[in-house]
């Protein structure tokens, strides 16, 4: 990792290399370009057609991570926006070169593989971040604050809906998305699981059901899960990528301009004193003490959805410069993956899965 100046007038830009010039990778490029303190140093893309397309970004383009490291010496950090099965191998390559890395979610295909990556980063003292970018959204920060401030009283339950319809060409462009382990549980539900952990704490028990893809893919296209938290709260989640629906974070949070927004909600958060809808941030409570025979009224919290990927990229740069600790460390990403893995296991076996605390808590937690 290069020594960098503190951000400010005349400070050198933090140079970031991107690996994977696909749908998510292009979004990261846009986020970097929106940040004056950041500079896109290089792009790595193994696919010939995508590599030719990446030349339009006017930076060096390489077919492999090793080639990029051999030829570009001034790289301060790497963003991995590649298929999940490549995350550990590529992450370890960055860590071996003492290069901070931000890996897209999920951190790995399995928690065992993710654990190896987290341990390697911890042992080498190399910053490892996971791309759960929603945590940077002002709406999420306002929700977290409302829960911690007691706006809903004792947290009891959350209902989460993650329904949308991915078109056929989404899968045609990247056939790996049709394979086992690349369904909406791993690709989409992991975001909601991470936010639920952020809001409620650690998950101790998981029950789940999954339904095979109606398009004939190897993975599921519909699943539902019940998560029980250490504090006694319970969350119910439903996820599908073959349901035409206005109820998902993507379509309600106005976080990504590529998704046409609706005026609906996707989270219902309930407590002993009131309830909160997200992302519209309405807090519902009774006029006096809680009583189903007395009127309820809603008040609105204030937060404007921001460019979470841009905020994440800027945070990554500050972590590289030693100014901040990771918001979503490798360890945090690993614990969210552990829950997603339990959802898969519970759906496959029909049995509830108990989640044990990872043994490396004291080694990697701040």
């Amino acid at each position: 990792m290069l020594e960098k100046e503190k951000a400010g007038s005349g400070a050198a830009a933090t140079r970031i290399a991107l690996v994977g010039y696909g749908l998510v990778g292009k979004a990261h490029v846009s986020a970097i370009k929106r940040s004056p303190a950041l500079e896109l140093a290089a792009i790595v893309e193994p696919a010939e057609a995508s590599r030719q397309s990446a030349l339009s970004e006017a930076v060096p383009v390489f077919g492999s991570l090793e080639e990029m490291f051999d030829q570009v010496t001034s790289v301060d950090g790497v963003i991995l926006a590649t298929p999940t099965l490549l995350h550990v191998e590529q992450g370890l390559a960055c860590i071996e070169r003492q290069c901070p890395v931000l890996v897209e979610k999920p951190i790995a295909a399995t928690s065992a593989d993710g654990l190896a990556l987290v341990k390697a980063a911890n042992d080498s003292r190399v910053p490892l971040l996971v791309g759960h970018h929603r945590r940077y959204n002002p709406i999420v920060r306002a929700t977290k604050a409302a829960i911690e401030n007691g706006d809903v009283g004792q947290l009891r339950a959350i209902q989460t809906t993650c329904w949308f319809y991915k078109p056929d060409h989404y899968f045609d462009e990247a056939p790996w998305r049709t394979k086992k382990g690349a369904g909406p549980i791993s690709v989409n539900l992991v975001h909601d699981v991470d936010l639920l952990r952020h809001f409620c704490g650690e998950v101790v028990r998981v029950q789940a059901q999954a339904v095979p893809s109606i398009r004939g893919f190897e993975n599921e296209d519909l699943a539902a899960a019940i998560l029980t938290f250490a504090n006694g709260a319970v969350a119910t989640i439903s996820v599908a990528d073959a349901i035409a629906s206005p109820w998902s974070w993507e379509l309600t949070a106005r976080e990504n301009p590529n998704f046409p927004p609706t005026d609906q909600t996707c989270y219902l958060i309930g407590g002993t004193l009131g309830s909160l809808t997200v992302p519209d941030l309405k807090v519902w409570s009774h006029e006096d003490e809680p009583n189903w025979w007395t009127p309820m009224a809603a008040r609105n919290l204030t937060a404007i959805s921001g460019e979470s990927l841009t905020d994440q990229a800027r945070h990554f740069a500050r972590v590289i410069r030693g100014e901040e600790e990771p918001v979503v460390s490798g360890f945090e990403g690993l614990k969210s993956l552990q829950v997603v893995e339990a959802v898969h296991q519970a759906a496959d076996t029909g049995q509830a899965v108990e989640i044990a605390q990872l043994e490396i808590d004291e080694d990697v937690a701040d």
Side-chain angles (χ1 to χ4, degrees), residues 170-350:
Y170 171 87
F171 302 98
D172 295 338
E173 293 167 358
W176 64 269
R177 293 169 176 158
T178 69
K179 304 301 182 181
K180 186 174 178 61
I185 292 177
S186 294
V187 174
N188 304 107
L189 192 67
V190 64
H191 274 305
D192 297 289
V193 164
D194 185 71
L195 283 191
L196 290 175
R197 286 188 51 252
H198 184 52
F199 295 150
C200 305
E202 298 307 329
V203 178
V204 296
R205 181 181 172 90
V206 174
Q207 298 162 275
Q209 293 282 338
V211 178
S213 166
I214 60 174
R215 297 185 236 212
F217 299 155
E218 294 179 11
N219 50 39
E220 79 289 341
D221 68 3
L222 169 64
I226 301 174
L227 311 182
T228 302
F229 295 84
N231 63 6
V234 173
T236 55
I237 312 175
S238 179
V239 62
D241 63 10
I243 292 179
S245 158
W247 304 300
S248 68
W249 179 269
E250 287 82 0
L251 296 184
T252 61
R254 301 175 184 269
E255 187 177 66
N256 186 333
N258 291 322
F259 294 106
T262 69
D263 60 355
Q264 301 297 299
T265 60
C266 59
Y267 289 4
L268 303 179
I269 301 174
T272 55
L273 297 181
S275 293
L276 170 64
T277 54
V278 178
D280 64 349
L281 295 178
K282 286 186 178 180
V283 179
W284 289 86
S285 60
H286 291 277
E287 294 180 356
D288 296 311
E289 62 182 24
N291 182 337
W292 68 350
W293 283 300
T294 62
M296 297 194 78
R299 63 183 176 87
N300 286 90
L301 304 178
T302 302
I304 299 175
S305 187
E307 296 177 342
S308 300
L309 277 180
T310 303
D311 290 342
Q312 178 181 253
R314 291 169 177 166
H315 168 69
F316 183 33
R318 292 192 292 270
V319 171
I320 291 171
R321 295 193 296 263
E323 299 169 6
E324 295 180 0
E325 293 297 320
V327 168
V328 187
S329 66
F331 185 56
E332 275 294 290
L334 177 59
K335 289 194 288 186
S336 291
L337 172 59
Q338 190 183 28
V339 177
V340 169
E341 201 170 54
V343 172
H344 277 295
Q345 182 181 345
D348 289 343
T349 64

